[in-house]
Amino acid sequence: MSSTCGENIKVTIFGQSHSAAIGMTLEGVPAGESIDMEELRAFLKRRAPGRNAWSTARKEEDIPEFLAGLKGNVSCGTPITAIIRNTDIRPADYEALGKVPRPGHADYTAFVKYGESADFSGGGHFSGRLTAALCIAGGICIQILRREGVEIISRIERIGPVKDRGELLSSTAENAFPTADKDAGLEMQGYIASCRADGDSAGGVIECKVLGLPAGLGDPIFDGMENRIARLVFGIPACKGIEFGAGFGAALLRGSENNDPFDIEDGRIITKTNNCGGILGGITDGMPLVFRAAFKPTPSIAREQESVDLGTMKKETLKVSGRHDPCIVPRAVPVVEAAAAIAVYDAYLSRRKEER
Amino acid sequence: MSSTCGENIKVTIFGQSHSAAIGMTLEGVPAGESIDMEELRAFLKRRAPGRNAWSTARKEEDIPEFLAGLKGNVSCGTPITAIIRNTDIRPADYEALGKVPRPGHADYTAFVKYGESADFSGGGHFSGRLTAALCIAGGICIQILRREGVEIISRIERIGPVKDRGELLSSTAENAFPTADKDAGLEMQGYIASCRADGDSAGGVIECKVLGLPAGLGDPIFDGMENRIARLVFGIPACKGIEFGAGFGAALLRGSENNDPFDIEDGRIITKTNNCGGILGGITDGMPLVFRAAFKPTPSIAREQESVDLGTMKKETLKVSGRHDPCIVPRAVPVVEAAAAIAVYDAYLSRRKEER
Amino acid sequence: MSSTCGENIKVTIFGQSHSAAIGMTLEGVPAGESIDMEELRAFLKRRAPGRNAWSTARKEEDIPEFLAGLKGNVSCGTPITAIIRNTDIRPADYEALGKVPRPGHADYTAFVKYGESADFSGGGHFSGRLTAALCIAGGICIQILRREGVEIISRIERIGPVKDRGELLSSTAENAFPTADKDAGLEMQGYIASCRADGDSAGGVIECKVLGLPAGLGDPIFDGMENRIARLVFGIPACKGIEFGAGFGAALLRGSENNDPFDIEDGRIITKTNNCGGILGGITDGMPLVFRAAFKPTPSIAREQESVDLGTMKKETLKVSGRHDPCIVPRAVPVVEAAAAIAVYDAYLSRRKEER
Amino acid sequence: MSSTCGENIKVTIFGQSHSAAIGMTLEGVPAGESIDMEELRAFLKRRAPGRNAWSTARKEEDIPEFLAGLKGNVSCGTPITAIIRNTDIRPADYEALGKVPRPGHADYTAFVKYGESADFSGGGHFSGRLTAALCIAGGICIQILRREGVEIISRIERIGPVKDRGELLSSTAENAFPTADKDAGLEMQGYIASCRADGDSAGGVIECKVLGLPAGLGDPIFDGMENRIARLVFGIPACKGIEFGAGFGAALLRGSENNDPFDIEDGRIITKTNNCGGILGGITDGMPLVFRAAFKPTPSIAREQESVDLGTMKKETLKVSGRHDPCIVPRAVPVVEAAAAIAVYDAYLSRRKEER
């Protein structure tokens, strides 16, 4: 049932696309952590819609209002709650969705699960809009982690058939289109534009790296870093796959190729390669933690699609109106960082209680 | 910290490769569920070592002893605990591992996390041996789910460069080497044999399908079927990636290709394709739930490898002795089924409390 | 760390006495449960301050605003969040509390735990004001339980030395001062008035009964009805004891006196007495569930008290200003009902998943 | 459903009175904690049956076998599992219990909850025998806490009408009958003997103190020390009430009497009285944590009692055979200490992650 996640910090996400507000509660942040509100708003802006050609025309300011847990802008040790009011709401666009579900969306499964009481409007609790709440939680964790020397960077690795070139070495937060290689980014944008022109949409892959992590974070079996991060990242709508380090590519390698030899550099243990993505036995080894998440193309497309009328149980076609991104991948980049930050910070706090 | 997982059923895994026993506790199984012990032992046998050319020579009978939770072979509603004694133990093989960690293993990260007190012997709590405990829990869930009309099947989809041919349509439990296409299976075995001959190891991909699921299982955001299954499957050592339905391939498609059109068949809503892997918005849509998990090649190889002496902080080479599979993928097949069964049964019980 | 509680429903309480708002998120309420908003506001009013001689002069309307989880006034199956804005705030009253902690309050322990970052204003997250949020969650559960035939009633059993007379047989919700015997209630009010006149305060005991419960709710060991209810009820500030059925009195009885003989009435199994408070082995037996909770006298009194200046580490006297109830017990009555309702409804949902 | 408890350490209790074994898994103990096995066995012996006139004649050695989590006698950081084999089993004694439930026992409620599949033999999972498993977990925590300077002491405060005299100032572990005043203890024993002679049983109250605790442990609202300890202590069968500090007595006091004035002693903040039992706002204040738990008289008595035949739904009398303590309070003393230790150690680990 749970829209709550975490062991030492617990994030709870609430709201629907067209409810009065969306928001989050973050428990477990120790007292005394300051939040730079300007930085947080800038982080949220990377996710916000309405900024450019490839995102929905829906305009939301996405300014979080903090209701609880702070004294000034410093955590006081008790649950932190922030909300974002939903302002630009047009429920009428979605009235029929409960009856004729959109392919690729949660309309049908929500109907089966919740019945007539489901809130289909704008996707309800399943809407990508809820990731703004995740970004508040993650944005706070990112700021705390940075003070511990941990940085989270990411990029679009692929949009449809177009791959980024080069390597993810530093933050892409300043890039309007976050790729390592600018030209590849332009190609991707061209591809998205052509999809939109066709009344269609595109998917893609996001790569994320967590730098500066100490070795020793994470736990065996069910609370390894892979498990923790996967639970958060699959919380992002449209994510259909995740891999760590060499990931699916590791299945092609031999042990002698895939094993990362240990070495010493500046008196510190490193690995010469990083096929394990910085994780051995679920626990960080001090190298960059690397993962990639696959996102399916936006299910809302302008074309006519086949569906079924749930009332009459007859075939039906539908054309999705409403406002939608032809590709959500660019906006999902900060969300992936947020998800990673929450998982990593949670493991960070776990580590503390094990120290003797 | 947790080797416990689940919301409505909780599985706890305990033990080390060379402790007195390994085992599991499964809470939340309603009273009155019978366990076919012969079937359970047969299921465990699919995972057991020592049976053939591509698995370790370590011999364990893997006969679970039930200590609690049953009256005869029927669940009495309270926690079910079963153990497997560790009999064929040779701790001396592993004495040095705390000092010179094996590349690709958890020796180094366990050392950082637990210090001198870590149990390195046989990989300790990180050992693949612990998956026998997972198989007890999962094997019980599989039997219960079958009575609800749910079946879980899987196959090796790939070993190194060799892909299975055909489709996964029925159980491969009877196959000594579980592929859909027998010839492809023989090629894979040849590849594993050649890796072993080179003192090397191979990785692979396992595909798993859950058939007969009702629509409506799973939850939005953090408890979607993807999140739940990923948390369990990443509990299997060596798993480095997971994808659902079209998965990473979905990133290449356009929305018009990837969306699964709804249709009606025999008065029941289906989708014409299944790129979403039977999951929309984290919730089952009544089509087969499909996922694939990537496994890295066994890190223990016979070749000399580069490492570091953690005491002297000098470079060191090591040759891994002990007994190891050149490819763990075949033995991981029932473990993936077990992990899926636990996640699915947990969601199943969640569904019950939502019905009004 | 947690201000979250529950297994099948999870309630999260957030806010401080003087933060922008207080509120709650309630997860796990199935879709389709309607909330009678007028009834909920009436329930909250029973807890609200400013209504009479024995409660603080602080005036808050305590009208919850629902931000999420409803479509109209019907639950849509996803997290329900409601907040109450803090309007009548006077932080200046509390400025010194971080320095010279009030005896009997959490000022000192909050200082030790959270340091300078603690929010001392009005008691912060420790304030009795937070129980309004608990009442929103509990008020929703009460409405759902009533539809299942379950009713929760309670009364003031004692204020200081004055005991209620008679038995708790029906709701006291309509009573301005909720006792079974009106005259006893008048005596209690007289006692509270005399305490206030002395610049002092009074404690008391609340008795609560849950009627109409089916047998079979609750679980052995850590999730018995006693454990579940205790965890919620000790979430109410100033609660220092809880007992079920004969409770501490059972320690005085012999087994032959304390055991409740089984009998049959109208074809239904009952017990002739109810010393066990309707709970055997942590599980309801179908008789009324009965418990009592002890509340200490309001720590804020008008008299001068001894304390310590945490800055100078010198002895100090203080006189508590601010607005406070001379006895919080009358206002705690609906809060106890709310806590019981949450625990009972959680157990109710647990029961569902066990049915086969 | 859960026989699992805890946030940072998780204890899981499994087994039935007459299953192959009972046992516990304790997760979250950091690596490197040594366990003095002799001391642990001595601790368990304080709970063990068969030692004297007031305990059951059932003989169990109660020697725990550690299956997992240790290297030698030192924790290796992963789950610790220990079991005690059930040897002296006489299931035939209990055969009829499913049909004619014993008053005051969980037979009836277990039947309603689990149906025919319930394990009634010896009380099944509800048996006091399971507290041996709790004592293993608690005994480990006691040893770790002692190394942190924390000591847990307790005494029988009352058996039926006989009260202990004097104050609980030091451990009673060495006393065969753990009271502060020896003569009071003899009177209590006389009272128990007279109950037994009458075919009857006695209840009582246990007082427990935790000494040496730092201030700052515990959390607001649902995870205060009261909530944490209550959840564990109500896990002990027959416990029907708990109170902290002045407890129910606080309800009789005025604020000016009940508030504990702060003072300074040896440069350290103390309170002059300890009516709050060392807990303010759920958080320890550095004074001794004090609580009392009420235990009902053993429900198994030699006298004929009224019950009902669940098959025929007719009235029935029964005489309980089997072996039972006329008073379980003396044996419950170490169990209360164990429960307190688990709760306290869990809060201790929570504290660590909050430190910055």
Short mmCIF file of all heavy atoms in Angstrom, two decimals, chain A residues 45-93:
data_model
loop_
_atom_site.label_atom_id
_atom_site.label_comp_id
_atom_site.label_asym_id
_atom_site.label_seq_id
_atom_site.Cartn_x
_atom_site.Cartn_y
_atom_site.Cartn_z
N LYS A 45 13.38 23.29 -10.31
CA LYS A 45 13.15 23.90 -11.62
C LYS A 45 13.65 22.99 -12.74
O LYS A 45 13.10 23.01 -13.84
CB LYS A 45 13.88 25.25 -11.68
CG LYS A 45 13.05 26.33 -12.34
CD LYS A 45 13.70 27.68 -12.18
CE LYS A 45 12.76 28.76 -12.71
NZ LYS A 45 13.28 30.09 -12.42
N ARG A 46 14.69 22.22 -12.46
CA ARG A 46 15.20 21.31 -13.48
C ARG A 46 14.14 20.28 -13.87
O ARG A 46 14.17 19.73 -14.96
CB ARG A 46 16.46 20.59 -12.98
CG ARG A 46 17.67 21.50 -12.88
CD ARG A 46 18.84 20.83 -12.18
NE ARG A 46 19.25 19.60 -12.86
CZ ARG A 46 19.95 18.64 -12.28
NH1 ARG A 46 20.33 18.75 -11.02
NH2 ARG A 46 20.27 17.56 -12.95
N ARG A 47 13.24 19.98 -12.95
CA ARG A 47 12.17 19.01 -13.21
C ARG A 47 10.89 19.65 -13.73
O ARG A 47 10.03 18.99 -14.33
CB ARG A 47 11.85 18.26 -11.90
CG ARG A 47 11.01 17.00 -12.07
CD ARG A 47 10.05 16.83 -10.91
NE ARG A 47 9.02 17.83 -10.97
CZ ARG A 47 7.84 17.67 -11.56
NH1 ARG A 47 7.53 16.53 -12.13
NH2 ARG A 47 6.96 18.65 -11.60
N ALA A 48 10.75 20.94 -13.46
CA ALA A 48 9.45 21.59 -13.69
C ALA A 48 9.04 21.57 -15.15
O ALA A 48 9.88 21.60 -16.05
CB ALA A 48 9.50 23.02 -13.18
N PRO A 49 7.74 21.51 -15.40
CA PRO A 49 7.26 21.49 -16.78
C PRO A 49 7.19 22.90 -17.36
O PRO A 49 7.44 23.89 -16.68
CB PRO A 49 5.85 20.91 -16.61
CG PRO A 49 5.42 21.37 -15.25
CD PRO A 49 6.67 21.41 -14.41
N GLY A 50 6.87 22.97 -18.61
CA GLY A 50 6.52 24.24 -19.23
C GLY A 50 7.69 25.11 -19.61
O GLY A 50 7.53 26.27 -19.93
N ARG A 51 8.89 24.54 -19.59
CA ARG A 51 10.03 25.40 -19.85
C ARG A 51 10.50 25.37 -21.29
O ARG A 51 11.22 26.26 -21.71
CB ARG A 51 11.19 25.00 -18.94
CG ARG A 51 10.92 25.32 -17.47
CD ARG A 51 12.18 25.07 -16.68
NE ARG A 51 12.68 23.72 -17.00
CZ ARG A 51 13.93 23.35 -16.95
NH1 ARG A 51 14.88 24.22 -16.61
NH2 ARG A 51 14.31 22.12 -17.21
N ASN A 52 10.16 24.31 -22.02
CA ASN A 52 10.76 24.24 -23.35
C ASN A 52 9.97 23.36 -24.29
O ASN A 52 8.88 22.89 -23.97
CB ASN A 52 12.20 23.74 -23.24
CG ASN A 52 12.23 22.53 -22.34
OD1 ASN A 52 11.30 21.72 -22.39
ND2 ASN A 52 13.25 22.41 -21.53
N ALA A 53 10.55 23.12 -25.45
CA ALA A 53 9.82 22.49 -26.56
C ALA A 53 9.40 21.06 -26.24
O ALA A 53 8.42 20.57 -26.77
CB ALA A 53 10.70 22.51 -27.81
N TRP A 54 10.18 20.36 -25.40
CA TRP A 54 9.88 18.93 -25.25
C TRP A 54 9.10 18.62 -23.98
O TRP A 54 8.92 17.48 -23.63
CB TRP A 54 11.15 18.09 -25.31
CG TRP A 54 12.17 18.54 -24.33
CD1 TRP A 54 12.24 18.22 -23.02
CD2 TRP A 54 13.23 19.44 -24.57
NE1 TRP A 54 13.27 18.86 -22.43
CE2 TRP A 54 13.91 19.61 -23.36
CE3 TRP A 54 13.69 20.13 -25.72
CZ2 TRP A 54 15.02 20.46 -23.24
CZ3 TRP A 54 14.79 20.96 -25.58
CH2 TRP A 54 15.43 21.11 -24.36
N SER A 55 8.62 19.66 -23.30
CA SER A 55 7.85 19.35 -22.10
C SER A 55 6.43 19.88 -22.20
O SER A 55 6.14 20.76 -23.01
CB SER A 55 8.56 19.86 -20.85
OG SER A 55 8.19 21.19 -20.56
N THR A 56 5.56 19.33 -21.37
CA THR A 56 4.15 19.70 -21.38
C THR A 56 3.96 21.19 -21.18
O THR A 56 4.78 21.87 -20.57
CB THR A 56 3.38 18.96 -20.26
OG1 THR A 56 2.14 19.62 -20.05
CG2 THR A 56 4.13 19.00 -18.94
N ALA A 57 2.85 21.70 -21.71
CA ALA A 57 2.55 23.12 -21.60
C ALA A 57 1.99 23.49 -20.23
O ALA A 57 1.79 24.66 -19.93
CB ALA A 57 1.56 23.52 -22.69
N ARG A 58 1.72 22.47 -19.40
CA ARG A 58 1.20 22.77 -18.07
C ARG A 58 2.22 23.59 -17.30
O ARG A 58 3.39 23.25 -17.24
CB ARG A 58 0.92 21.46 -17.31
CG ARG A 58 0.44 21.70 -15.88
CD ARG A 58 0.01 20.40 -15.22
NE ARG A 58 -0.34 20.59 -13.82
CZ ARG A 58 -0.79 19.64 -13.03
NH1 ARG A 58 -0.91 18.40 -13.50
NH2 ARG A 58 -1.12 19.89 -11.78
N LYS A 59 1.75 24.63 -16.68
CA LYS A 59 2.68 25.51 -15.96
C LYS A 59 2.42 25.39 -14.47
O LYS A 59 1.33 25.67 -14.00
CB LYS A 59 2.48 26.96 -16.41
CG LYS A 59 3.00 27.24 -17.79
CD LYS A 59 3.75 28.56 -17.86
CE LYS A 59 4.59 28.68 -19.12
NZ LYS A 59 3.93 28.16 -20.33
N GLU A 60 3.42 25.00 -13.75
CA GLU A 60 3.32 24.97 -12.29
C GLU A 60 4.59 25.64 -11.79
O GLU A 60 5.68 25.36 -12.26
CB GLU A 60 3.27 23.53 -11.75
CG GLU A 60 2.08 22.72 -12.22
CD GLU A 60 0.81 22.97 -11.42
OE1 GLU A 60 0.82 23.85 -10.53
OE2 GLU A 60 -0.20 22.31 -11.72
N GLU A 61 4.42 26.50 -10.81
CA GLU A 61 5.60 27.19 -10.31
C GLU A 61 6.48 26.22 -9.52
O GLU A 61 7.69 26.37 -9.45
CB GLU A 61 5.20 28.39 -9.44
CG GLU A 61 4.80 29.63 -10.27
CD GLU A 61 5.98 30.29 -10.97
OE1 GLU A 61 7.12 30.13 -10.52
OE2 GLU A 61 5.75 30.97 -11.99
N ASP A 62 5.86 25.22 -8.88
CA ASP A 62 6.63 24.24 -8.11
C ASP A 62 7.48 24.88 -7.01
O ASP A 62 8.65 24.53 -6.84
CB ASP A 62 7.52 23.39 -9.01
CG ASP A 62 6.72 22.28 -9.67
OD1 ASP A 62 5.50 22.21 -9.44
OD2 ASP A 62 7.32 21.48 -10.40
N ILE A 63 6.90 25.81 -6.32
CA ILE A 63 7.58 26.40 -5.17
C ILE A 63 7.10 25.66 -3.93
O ILE A 63 5.93 25.74 -3.57
CB ILE A 63 7.24 27.89 -5.00
CG1 ILE A 63 7.53 28.68 -6.28
CG2 ILE A 63 7.98 28.49 -3.80
CD1 ILE A 63 8.98 28.89 -6.58
N PRO A 64 7.98 24.91 -3.26
CA PRO A 64 7.53 24.17 -2.09
C PRO A 64 7.26 25.11 -0.91
O PRO A 64 8.01 26.06 -0.68
CB PRO A 64 8.70 23.24 -1.78
CG PRO A 64 9.89 23.88 -2.39
CD PRO A 64 9.40 24.69 -3.55
N GLU A 65 6.17 24.82 -0.21
CA GLU A 65 5.89 25.52 1.04
C GLU A 65 6.18 24.55 2.17
O GLU A 65 5.60 23.46 2.22
CB GLU A 65 4.42 25.96 1.08
CG GLU A 65 4.07 26.71 2.37
CD GLU A 65 2.56 26.87 2.61
OE1 GLU A 65 1.77 26.37 1.79
OE2 GLU A 65 2.20 27.47 3.61
N PHE A 66 7.06 24.93 3.08
CA PHE A 66 7.39 24.04 4.20
C PHE A 66 6.41 24.29 5.34
O PHE A 66 6.29 25.40 5.84
CB PHE A 66 8.84 24.27 4.66
CG PHE A 66 9.82 23.60 3.74
CD1 PHE A 66 10.23 24.20 2.56
CD2 PHE A 66 10.29 22.32 4.02
CE1 PHE A 66 11.11 23.57 1.69
CE2 PHE A 66 11.17 21.67 3.16
CZ PHE A 66 11.58 22.29 1.99
N LEU A 67 5.73 23.24 5.73
CA LEU A 67 4.73 23.35 6.79
C LEU A 67 5.28 22.97 8.14
O LEU A 67 4.74 23.35 9.18
CB LEU A 67 3.53 22.45 6.48
CG LEU A 67 2.77 22.70 5.19
CD1 LEU A 67 1.62 21.72 5.08
CD2 LEU A 67 2.25 24.13 5.16
N ALA A 68 6.32 22.14 8.17
CA ALA A 68 6.75 21.55 9.43
C ALA A 68 8.19 21.08 9.36
O ALA A 68 8.71 20.82 8.28
CB ALA A 68 5.86 20.36 9.77
N GLY A 69 8.83 21.01 10.52
CA GLY A 69 10.13 20.38 10.62
C GLY A 69 11.32 21.31 10.54
O GLY A 69 12.45 20.87 10.72
N LEU A 70 11.06 22.60 10.30
CA LEU A 70 12.16 23.55 10.21
C LEU A 70 11.99 24.65 11.25
O LEU A 70 10.87 24.98 11.65
CB LEU A 70 12.20 24.20 8.82
CG LEU A 70 12.31 23.28 7.61
CD1 LEU A 70 12.42 24.12 6.34
CD2 LEU A 70 13.52 22.36 7.73
N LYS A 71 13.09 25.21 11.67
CA LYS A 71 13.08 26.46 12.42
C LYS A 71 13.91 27.39 11.56
O LYS A 71 15.11 27.15 11.40
CB LYS A 71 13.72 26.25 13.80
CG LYS A 71 13.22 27.25 14.84
CD LYS A 71 13.60 26.84 16.26
CE LYS A 71 15.08 27.02 16.53
NZ LYS A 71 15.43 26.79 17.96
N GLY A 72 13.28 28.38 10.97
CA GLY A 72 13.95 29.10 9.88
C GLY A 72 14.15 28.11 8.75
O GLY A 72 13.19 27.45 8.33
N ASN A 73 15.37 27.96 8.29
CA ASN A 73 15.61 26.96 7.24
C ASN A 73 16.48 25.82 7.74
O ASN A 73 17.19 25.17 6.98
CB ASN A 73 16.24 27.62 6.01
CG ASN A 73 17.63 28.12 6.32
OD1 ASN A 73 17.94 28.37 7.48
ND2 ASN A 73 18.47 28.25 5.31
N VAL A 74 16.43 25.60 9.06
CA VAL A 74 17.24 24.54 9.67
C VAL A 74 16.32 23.46 10.23
O VAL A 74 15.34 23.76 10.90
CB VAL A 74 18.13 25.13 10.78
CG1 VAL A 74 18.91 24.03 11.50
CG2 VAL A 74 19.10 26.16 10.19
N SER A 75 16.67 22.21 9.97
CA SER A 75 15.86 21.09 10.46
C SER A 75 15.88 21.09 11.98
O SER A 75 16.92 21.31 12.60
CB SER A 75 16.41 19.77 9.94
OG SER A 75 17.70 19.54 10.46
N CYS A 76 14.71 20.84 12.59
CA CYS A 76 14.67 20.80 14.06
C CYS A 76 14.58 19.37 14.57
O CYS A 76 14.39 19.14 15.77
CB CYS A 76 13.56 21.68 14.61
SG CYS A 76 11.92 21.28 14.05
N GLY A 77 14.73 18.38 13.70
CA GLY A 77 14.84 17.00 14.15
C GLY A 77 13.55 16.21 14.05
O GLY A 77 13.56 14.99 14.17
N THR A 78 12.44 16.90 13.81
CA THR A 78 11.15 16.22 13.70
C THR A 78 10.69 16.24 12.24
O THR A 78 11.35 16.86 11.40
CB THR A 78 10.13 16.88 14.66
OG1 THR A 78 10.09 18.28 14.44
CG2 THR A 78 10.55 16.64 16.11
N PRO A 79 9.61 15.53 11.89
CA PRO A 79 9.29 15.36 10.47
C PRO A 79 9.19 16.67 9.68
O PRO A 79 8.58 17.63 10.13
CB PRO A 79 7.92 14.66 10.51
CG PRO A 79 7.90 13.93 11.81
CD PRO A 79 8.67 14.81 12.76
N ILE A 80 9.80 16.65 8.53
CA ILE A 80 9.77 17.81 7.62
C ILE A 80 8.68 17.57 6.59
O ILE A 80 8.69 16.56 5.89
CB ILE A 80 11.13 17.98 6.91
CG1 ILE A 80 12.25 18.21 7.93
CG2 ILE A 80 11.07 19.11 5.89
CD1 ILE A 80 13.65 18.17 7.33
N THR A 81 7.75 18.49 6.50
CA THR A 81 6.68 18.37 5.50
C THR A 81 6.68 19.60 4.61
O THR A 81 6.75 20.72 5.11
CB THR A 81 5.31 18.21 6.18
OG1 THR A 81 5.31 17.02 6.95
CG2 THR A 81 4.19 18.12 5.14
N ALA A 82 6.62 19.37 3.32
CA ALA A 82 6.49 20.47 2.37
C ALA A 82 5.46 20.10 1.32
O ALA A 82 5.31 18.93 0.98
CB ALA A 82 7.83 20.77 1.71
N ILE A 83 4.77 21.09 0.86
CA ILE A 83 3.74 20.85 -0.16
C ILE A 83 3.94 21.80 -1.34
O ILE A 83 4.61 22.83 -1.22
CB ILE A 83 2.31 21.02 0.39
CG1 ILE A 83 2.08 22.47 0.89
CG2 ILE A 83 2.04 20.04 1.53
CD1 ILE A 83 0.63 22.77 1.24
N ILE A 84 3.37 21.41 -2.45
CA ILE A 84 3.27 22.29 -3.61
C ILE A 84 1.80 22.31 -4.00
O ILE A 84 1.21 21.26 -4.24
CB ILE A 84 4.12 21.78 -4.80
CG1 ILE A 84 5.60 21.72 -4.41
CG2 ILE A 84 3.91 22.67 -6.02
CD1 ILE A 84 6.49 21.06 -5.47
N ARG A 85 1.23 23.46 -4.02
CA ARG A 85 -0.17 23.58 -4.41
C ARG A 85 -0.32 23.26 -5.89
O ARG A 85 0.55 23.60 -6.70
CB ARG A 85 -0.67 25.02 -4.17
CG ARG A 85 -0.74 25.42 -2.72
CD ARG A 85 -2.08 25.06 -2.11
NE ARG A 85 -2.05 25.18 -0.64
CZ ARG A 85 -3.02 24.74 0.14
NH1 ARG A 85 -4.10 24.16 -0.36
NH2 ARG A 85 -2.93 24.87 1.44
N ASN A 86 -1.38 22.60 -6.23
CA ASN A 86 -1.71 22.38 -7.64
C ASN A 86 -2.57 23.54 -8.11
O ASN A 86 -3.67 23.73 -7.61
CB ASN A 86 -2.47 21.07 -7.81
CG ASN A 86 -1.57 19.87 -7.67
OD1 ASN A 86 -0.42 19.89 -8.11
ND2 ASN A 86 -2.07 18.81 -7.06
N THR A 87 -2.05 24.30 -9.05
CA THR A 87 -2.77 25.51 -9.44
C THR A 87 -3.41 25.40 -10.80
O THR A 87 -4.58 25.70 -10.98
CB THR A 87 -1.82 26.72 -9.40
OG1 THR A 87 -0.64 26.38 -10.14
CG2 THR A 87 -1.44 27.04 -7.96
N ASP A 88 -2.65 24.94 -11.78
CA ASP A 88 -3.13 24.96 -13.16
C ASP A 88 -3.83 23.64 -13.49
O ASP A 88 -3.34 22.82 -14.25
CB ASP A 88 -1.94 25.21 -14.09
CG ASP A 88 -2.36 25.38 -15.54
OD1 ASP A 88 -3.55 25.64 -15.79
OD2 ASP A 88 -1.49 25.23 -16.41
N ILE A 89 -4.99 23.44 -12.89
CA ILE A 89 -5.70 22.16 -12.97
C ILE A 89 -6.82 22.20 -13.99
O ILE A 89 -7.60 23.13 -14.01
CB ILE A 89 -6.29 21.81 -11.58
CG1 ILE A 89 -5.18 21.73 -10.53
CG2 ILE A 89 -7.08 20.52 -11.64
CD1 ILE A 89 -5.69 21.57 -9.12
N ARG A 90 -6.90 21.20 -14.84
CA ARG A 90 -8.02 21.11 -15.78
C ARG A 90 -8.63 19.71 -15.77
O ARG A 90 -8.52 18.96 -16.74
CB ARG A 90 -7.55 21.41 -17.21
CG ARG A 90 -6.85 22.74 -17.36
CD ARG A 90 -6.62 23.02 -18.83
NE ARG A 90 -5.61 24.04 -19.02
CZ ARG A 90 -5.02 24.28 -20.18
NH1 ARG A 90 -5.36 23.56 -21.26
NH2 ARG A 90 -4.10 25.21 -20.31
N PRO A 91 -9.29 19.33 -14.68
CA PRO A 91 -9.81 17.97 -14.55
C PRO A 91 -10.70 17.54 -15.71
O PRO A 91 -10.78 16.37 -16.03
CB PRO A 91 -10.61 18.00 -13.24
CG PRO A 91 -10.25 19.27 -12.56
CD PRO A 91 -9.59 20.17 -13.53
N ALA A 92 -11.36 18.48 -16.34
CA ALA A 92 -12.29 18.12 -17.42
C ALA A 92 -11.59 17.33 -18.51
O ALA A 92 -12.17 16.45 -19.14
CB ALA A 92 -12.94 19.38 -17.99
N ASP A 93 -10.31 17.64 -18.74
CA ASP A 93 -9.56 16.92 -19.77
C ASP A 93 -9.57 15.41 -19.55
O ASP A 93 -9.33 14.64 -20.46
CB ASP A 93 -8.08 17.36 -19.77
CG ASP A 93 -7.90 18.75 -20.38
OD1 ASP A 93 -8.88 19.27 -20.94
OD2 ASP A 93 -6.79 19.29 -20.28
#
